[in-house]
Coordinates of all heavy atoms in Angstrom, one line a residue:
V120 N -9.4 23.6 -65.4 CA -9.8 24.3 -66.6 C -8.7 25.2 -67.1 O -8.2 26.1 -66.5 CB -11.1 25.2 -66.3 CG1 -11.6 25.9 -67.5 CG2 -12.2 24.4 -65.6
S121 N -8.3 24.9 -68.4 CA -7.2 25.7 -69.0 C -7.7 27.0 -69.6 O -9.0 27.2 -69.7 CB -6.7 24.8 -70.2 OG -6.3 23.5 -69.8
P122 N -6.8 27.9 -69.9 CA -7.3 29.2 -70.5 C -8.1 29.1 -71.7 O -8.9 30.0 -72.0 CB -5.9 29.9 -70.8 CG -5.0 29.3 -69.8 CD -5.4 27.9 -69.7
D123 N -8.0 28.0 -72.5 CA -8.8 27.9 -73.7 C -10.1 27.2 -73.5 O -10.8 26.9 -74.4 CB -8.0 27.1 -74.8 CG -7.6 25.7 -74.3 OD1 -7.9 25.3 -73.2 OD2 -6.9 25.0 -75.1
G124 N -10.4 27.0 -72.2 CA -11.7 26.4 -71.8 C -11.7 24.9 -71.8 O -12.7 24.3 -71.3
E125 N -10.6 24.2 -72.2 CA -10.6 22.8 -72.1 C -10.6 22.3 -70.6 O -10.0 23.0 -69.8 CB -9.3 22.2 -72.8 CG -9.4 22.2 -74.3 CD -10.2 21.0 -74.8 OE1 -10.6 20.1 -74.0 OE2 -10.6 21.0 -76.0
R126 N -11.3 21.2 -70.3 CA -11.3 20.7 -69.0 C -10.6 19.4 -68.9 O -10.7 18.5 -69.8 CB -12.8 20.5 -68.5 CG -13.6 19.5 -69.2 CD -15.1 19.7 -69.0 NE -15.9 18.5 -69.4 CZ -16.2 18.2 -70.7 NH1 -15.7 19.0 -71.7 NH2 -17.0 17.2 -70.9
S127 N -9.8 19.2 -67.9 CA -9.0 18.0 -67.6 C -9.6 17.4 -66.4 O -9.3 18.0 -65.3 CB -7.5 18.3 -67.5 OG -7.1 19.0 -68.7
M128 N -10.2 16.3 -66.5 CA -11.0 15.8 -65.4 C -10.2 14.5 -64.8 O -9.9 13.6 -65.5 CB -12.4 15.3 -65.8 CG -13.2 16.5 -66.4 SD -14.8 15.9 -67.1 CE -15.6 15.4 -65.7
N129 N -10.1 14.6 -63.5 CA -9.5 13.5 -62.8 C -10.4 13.0 -61.7 O -10.7 13.6 -60.7 CB -8.2 14.0 -62.1 CG -7.2 14.5 -63.1 OD1 -6.3 13.8 -63.5 ND2 -7.3 15.7 -63.5
T130 N -11.0 11.8 -62.0 CA -12.2 11.4 -61.3 C -11.9 10.2 -60.4 O -11.3 9.2 -60.9 CB -13.3 11.0 -62.3 OG1 -13.6 12.1 -63.1 CG2 -14.6 10.5 -61.5
Y131 N -12.2 10.3 -59.1 CA -12.2 9.2 -58.2 C -13.6 8.7 -58.0 O -14.5 9.3 -57.5 CB -11.6 9.7 -56.8 CG -11.7 8.6 -55.7 CD1 -11.0 7.4 -55.9 CD2 -12.5 8.8 -54.6 CE1 -11.1 6.5 -54.9 CE2 -12.6 7.9 -53.6 CZ -11.9 6.7 -53.8 OH -12.0 5.7 -52.8
L132 N -13.8 7.4 -58.5 CA -15.2 6.9 -58.6 C -15.8 6.7 -57.3 O -17.0 6.9 -57.1 CB -15.2 5.6 -59.4 CG -14.9 5.8 -60.9 CD1 -14.9 4.5 -61.6 CD2 -16.0 6.7 -61.6
G133 N -15.1 6.1 -56.3 CA -15.6 6.0 -55.0 C -16.9 5.2 -54.9 O -17.1 4.3 -55.7
I134 N -17.7 5.6 -54.0 CA -18.9 4.8 -53.7 C -20.0 4.9 -54.8 O -20.9 4.0 -54.9 CB -19.5 5.2 -52.3 CG1 -20.5 4.1 -51.8 CG2 -20.2 6.6 -52.4 CD1 -21.0 4.4 -50.4
S135 N -20.0 5.9 -55.6 CA -21.1 6.1 -56.5 C -21.1 5.0 -57.6 O -22.2 4.6 -58.1 CB -21.0 7.5 -57.2 OG -19.9 7.5 -58.1
A136 N -19.9 4.5 -57.9 CA -19.8 3.4 -58.9 C -20.4 2.1 -58.4 O -20.5 1.1 -59.2 CB -18.4 3.2 -59.3
E137 N -20.7 2.0 -57.1 CA -21.2 0.8 -56.5 C -22.8 0.7 -56.6 O -23.4 -0.2 -56.0 CB -20.7 0.6 -55.1 CG -19.2 0.5 -55.0 CD -18.7 -0.7 -55.8 OE1 -19.2 -1.8 -55.7 OE2 -17.7 -0.5 -56.5
L138 N -23.4 1.7 -57.2 CA -24.8 1.8 -57.2 C -25.4 0.5 -57.9 O -24.9 0.1 -59.0 CB -25.3 3.0 -57.9 CG -26.8 3.3 -57.9 CD1 -27.1 4.8 -57.8 CD2 -27.5 2.8 -59.2
G139 N -26.4 -0.1 -57.4 CA -27.0 -1.3 -57.9 C -28.5 -1.3 -57.8 O -29.1 -0.3 -57.3
P140 N -29.1 -2.4 -58.2 CA -30.6 -2.5 -58.2 C -31.2 -2.3 -56.8 O -32.3 -1.8 -56.7 CB -30.9 -3.9 -58.7 CG -29.6 -4.7 -58.5 CD -28.5 -3.7 -58.7
D141 N -30.4 -2.6 -55.7 CA -31.0 -2.4 -54.4 C -31.1 -1.0 -54.0 O -31.8 -0.6 -53.1 CB -30.1 -3.1 -53.3 CG -30.2 -4.6 -53.4 OD1 -31.1 -5.2 -54.0 OD2 -29.3 -5.3 -52.9
D142 N -30.4 -0.1 -54.8 CA -30.5 1.4 -54.6 C -31.7 2.0 -55.3 O -31.9 3.2 -55.2 CB -29.2 2.0 -55.0 CG -28.0 1.6 -54.2 OD1 -28.1 1.7 -53.0 OD2 -27.1 1.1 -54.8
V143 N -32.4 1.2 -56.1 CA -33.5 1.7 -56.9 C -34.8 1.4 -56.2 O -35.2 0.3 -56.1 CB -33.5 1.1 -58.3 CG1 -34.7 1.5 -59.1 CG2 -32.2 1.4 -59.1
D144 N -35.5 2.5 -55.9 CA -36.9 2.4 -55.3 C -37.8 2.4 -56.5 O -37.9 3.4 -57.2 CB -37.1 3.5 -54.4 CG -38.5 3.4 -53.7 OD1 -39.4 2.8 -54.3 OD2 -38.7 4.1 -52.7
E145 N -38.4 1.2 -56.8 CA -39.2 1.2 -58.0 C -40.4 2.1 -58.0 O -40.9 2.6 -59.1 CB -39.8 -0.3 -58.2 CG -38.7 -1.3 -58.6 CD -39.2 -2.6 -59.0 OE1 -40.4 -2.8 -58.9 OE2 -38.4 -3.5 -59.4
S146 N -40.9 2.5 -56.8 CA -42.0 3.5 -56.7 C -41.5 4.9 -57.2 O -42.3 5.6 -57.8 CB -42.5 3.6 -55.3 OG -41.6 4.2 -54.4
V147 N -40.2 5.2 -57.1 CA -39.7 6.4 -57.6 C -39.7 6.4 -59.1 O -40.1 7.4 -59.8 CB -38.3 6.7 -57.0 CG1 -37.6 7.9 -57.7 CG2 -38.3 6.9 -55.5
A148 N -39.2 5.3 -59.7 CA -39.1 5.2 -61.1 C -40.5 5.2 -61.7 O -40.8 5.8 -62.7 CB -38.4 3.9 -61.5
A149 N -41.4 4.5 -61.1 CA -42.8 4.4 -61.5 C -43.5 5.8 -61.4 O -44.5 6.1 -62.2 CB -43.6 3.4 -60.8
G150 N -43.0 6.6 -60.5 CA -43.6 7.9 -60.3 C -43.1 9.0 -61.2 O -43.3 10.2 -61.0
A151 N -42.3 8.6 -62.2 CA -41.7 9.6 -63.1 C -42.3 9.5 -64.5 O -42.5 8.4 -65.0 CB -40.2 9.4 -63.2
E152 N -42.5 10.7 -65.1 CA -42.8 10.7 -66.5 C -41.7 10.2 -67.4 O -41.9 9.5 -68.4 CB -43.2 12.1 -66.9 CG -44.5 12.6 -66.3 CD -44.8 14.1 -66.7 OE1 -44.5 14.4 -67.9 OE2 -45.4 14.8 -65.9
V153 N -40.4 10.6 -67.0 CA -39.2 10.2 -67.7 C -38.2 9.8 -66.8 O -38.0 10.5 -65.7 CB -38.7 11.4 -68.6 CG1 -37.4 11.1 -69.2 CG2 -39.7 11.7 -69.8
V154 N -37.4 8.8 -67.0 CA -36.2 8.5 -66.3 C -35.0 8.6 -67.3 O -35.2 8.2 -68.5 CB -36.2 7.1 -65.6 CG1 -37.2 7.0 -64.5 CG2 -36.4 6.0 -66.6
F155 N -33.9 9.1 -66.8 CA -32.8 9.4 -67.6 C -31.5 8.7 -67.0 O -31.2 9.0 -65.8 CB -32.6 10.9 -67.8 CG -31.6 11.3 -68.8 CD1 -31.5 10.7 -70.1 CD2 -30.6 12.3 -68.5 CE1 -30.6 11.1 -71.0 CE2 -29.7 12.7 -69.5 CZ -29.7 12.1 -70.7
L156 N -30.9 7.9 -67.7 CA -29.8 7.0 -67.2 C -28.5 7.5 -67.7 O -28.3 7.9 -68.8 CB -30.1 5.6 -67.7 CG -31.5 5.0 -67.6 CD1 -31.6 3.6 -68.2 CD2 -32.0 5.0 -66.2
E157 N -27.4 7.3 -66.9 CA -26.1 7.8 -67.2 C -25.2 6.6 -67.6 O -25.0 5.7 -66.9 CB -25.5 8.4 -65.9 CG -24.1 9.0 -66.1 CD -23.6 9.6 -64.9 OE1 -24.3 10.4 -64.3 OE2 -22.4 9.4 -64.5
G158 N -24.7 6.7 -68.8 CA -24.0 5.6 -69.4 C -22.7 5.2 -68.6 O -22.3 4.0 -68.6
Y159 N -22.1 6.2 -67.9 CA -20.9 5.9 -67.1 C -21.1 4.7 -66.1 O -20.2 4.0 -65.8 CB -20.5 7.1 -66.3 CG -19.8 8.2 -67.2 CD1 -20.3 9.5 -67.1 CD2 -18.7 7.9 -68.0 CE1 -19.7 10.5 -67.9 CE2 -18.1 8.9 -68.7 CZ -18.6 10.2 -68.7 OH -18.0 11.2 -69.4
L160 N -22.4 4.6 -65.6 CA -22.6 3.5 -64.6 C -22.7 2.1 -65.2 O -22.9 1.2 -64.5 CB -24.0 3.8 -63.9 CG -23.9 4.8 -62.7 CD1 -25.3 5.0 -62.1 CD2 -22.9 4.3 -61.6

Side-chain angles (χ1 to χ4, degrees):
V120 182
S121 307
D123 59 2
E125 282 284 348
R126 67 198 193 282
S127 306
M128 303 173 65
N129 298 265
T130 302
Y131 172 62
L132 291 177
I134 196 173
S135 70
E137 299 303 313
L138 188 144
D141 291 343
D142 297 302
V143 176
D144 183 339
E145 290 189 357
S146 69
V147 172
E152 294 180 29
V153 169
V154 294
F155 191 45
L156 318 176
E157 181 179 315
Y159 285 127
L160 275 179

